[in-house]
Amino acid sequence: MSEINKQIGDNIRIFRKKRNLTLNELSGLVHKSKSTLSKYEKGEISIDIETLYEIADALQIHVEQLIYCPPKRTAAITSNSNPAFFNGVSQFYAYLFDGRSNHIIRCVFDILSETDNHQSKIMMYMNYKDLKNYQNCENTYWGYIEHYDAMTHISLTNQDTPMEKASVQILASYLDSDTKWGLFNGFSSRPMMPIAIKMLLSKSVLKEDIALIQQLKVTKDDIRMLKLYNMLSVT
């Protein structure tokens, strides 16, 4: 059994269940038998390109989400155009603190494919419960990550609610470190309002403890800077 076939099969099963579709229902959408789809999900047979696109279309996702394989090591995408923090990285993590429910929101970013020297296609899976199945999350976003001399910009669109846009700005990503602060701008539906919030990005999974929560919360220094500039900012 090919590892790639198995990973693609696992991805199909994850996104099928996320859409609350049975094998029978998906087989009707892509005109394949239930037994064939079951073999796809188990990684027992390879999938042709046309069928991959048909399955992705039926699941209302990007085909790259099916063929993406989480890296077994950090060095995955290396480019001279990538700043130090992102160089050699195809997956990274991010953390927010939700003051409405007083809990950490965890995110996984997958860098799918490079489109040009400064931009790559990216997925963000927000508020997952199980890291092994992080694609099964509360909100999924797709978009692009762009690198510039002084900053990195991530633009995002909610995969299920396209009217919801979000973005992340990361300052000085050319300086390497294990973590990096960013400012997340988005839209809250509980209550309905535009928001800006601190986001801590990391190359590895962080321990979710009191120390991390204190980092993610708005500090006295953040408030001082807010009063000084009349802007919420992170550095």
Side-chain angles (χ1 to χ4, degrees), residues 68 71 73-94 108-112 114 117-124 144-156 167-183 199-204:
Y68 179 84
R73 56 186 183 277
T74 302
I77 296 177
T78 302
S79 169
N80 291 332
S81 64
N82 287 348
F85 180 78
F86 293 100
N87 206 28
V89 172
S90 66
Q91 185 179 79
F92 57 96
Y93 310 91
V108 171
F109 284 87
D110 288 338
I111 302 176
L112 302 180
E114 193 167 354
N117 289 334
H118 299 286
Q119 187 182 82
S120 296
K121 195 168 186 179
I122 197 167
M123 301 297 305
M124 181 180 80
Y144 297 93
I145 181 169
E146 299 177 271
H147 304 296
Y148 299 94
D149 290 341
M151 67 169 291
T152 290
H153 178 76
I154 302 174
S155 57
L156 299 164
S167 65
V168 186
Q169 294 81 37
I170 304 105
L171 189 65
S173 53
Y174 57 85
L175 297 175
D176 198 13
S177 62
D178 293 330
T179 60
K180 186 72 65 175
W181 282 107
L183 185 65
M199 172 180 272
L200 184 62
L201 295 90
S202 174
K203 295 180 183 180
S204 59

Side-chain angles (χ1 to χ4, degrees), residues 12-13 15-38 41 54-60:
I12 292 172
R13 184 177 64 257
F15 288 113
R16 174 177 62 80
K17 289 185 175 181
K18 186 176 180 182
R19 294 296 182 193
N20 294 317
L21 291 173
T22 64
L23 277 172
N24 272 331
E25 290 169 335
L26 182 57
S27 69
L29 293 173
V30 299
H31 308 293
K32 299 284 183 181
S33 69
K34 177 182 175 182
S35 61
T36 297
L37 283 174
S38 178
E41 290 192 357
E54 289 174 352
I55 292 174
D57 187 56
L59 296 175
Q60 301 174 47

